[in-house]
Amino acid sequence: PTSAPISSRIYVFGKGGVKRTAEEMGVELLGEVPLEVSIRQASDVGRPIAVSQPNSEAGRLYAAIAKRLIEKTEPFEEVD
């Protein structure tokens, strides 16, 4: 099988496909993270890319998505 060069981007859902689908569904697109072997490798050894390589493109993207989720989340009320 042929494979794309490591530096190229492959759009699994077509270029702009995720954004388009989010718009069609009326949901906010929190971010797009590239499919990289390093993400899987880091996760496999229990060191997520956001922790093991926080300054990488993927690490920064995960951090931005997490920040957006925190901003959108309302605090839970304590239940007695």
Side-chain angles (χ1 to χ4, degrees), residues 2-79:
T2 61
S3 60
I6 291 176
S7 63
S8 70
R9 292 189 180 251
I10 299 171
Y11 297 93
V12 176
F13 303 104
K15 189 170 185 176
V18 174
K19 181 178 181 183
R20 188 171 39 259
T21 300
E23 289 170 353
E24 289 171 1
M25 297 181 75
V27 297
E28 180 181 346
L29 175 62
L30 297 175
E32 296 178 278
V33 178
L35 298 176
E36 295 179 356
V37 172
S38 60
I39 295 171
R40 181 199 49 83
Q41 290 170 331
S43 296
D44 284 354
V45 296
R47 301 253 323 141
I49 201 82
V51 173
S52 63
Q53 297 177 37
N55 294 319
S56 67
E57 177 186 12
R60 289 189 309 270
L61 290 169
Y62 275 113
I65 291 169
K67 181 180 178 190
R68 187 67 187 126
L69 281 172
I70 291 167
E71 291 169 352
K72 295 184 70 57
T73 304
E74 296 179 19
F76 290 105
E77 291 184 26
E78 289 192 33
V79 179

